[in-house]
């Protein structure tokens, strides 16, 4: 069962990488990332635990 799950996961990952190489999908991915960064605060500054002591 575990081996079958790994085979399916690797097949899905291969398909995702194939689709990501297409220019029209690259534009969609870049837009999604830009929108996500805008929504989440623009780069992550100001969030987190702070300085490690």
């Amino acid at each position: 069962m575990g081996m079958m799950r790994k085979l399916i996961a690797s097949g899905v990952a291969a398909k995702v990488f194939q689709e990501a190489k297409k220019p029209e999908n690259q534009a969609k991915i870049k837009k999604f990332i830009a929108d996500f960064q805008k929504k989440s605060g623009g780069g992550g500054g100001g969030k987190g635990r702070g300085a490690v002591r």
Side-chain angles (χ1 to χ4, degrees), residues 15-38:
K15 181 65 175 173
V16 168
F17 281 117
Q18 279 180 345
E19 292 296 316
K21 289 182 181 180
K22 295 180 182 178
E24 62 272 13
N25 291 338
Q26 287 180 357
K28 289 178 187 177
I29 291 168
K30 286 179 183 177
K31 183 183 182 312
F32 173 79
I33 291 171
D35 290 346
F36 181 78
Q37 286 176 341
K38 251 194 288 186

Side-chain angles (χ1 to χ4, degrees), residues 2-3 6-8 11 16 23-24 26 28-29 44 47 53:
M3 186 175 174
K6 288 180 185 178
L7 284 172
I8 292 170
V16 168
E24 62 272 13
Q26 287 180 357
K28 289 178 187 177
I29 291 168
K47 295 184 179 179
R53 297 181 196 193

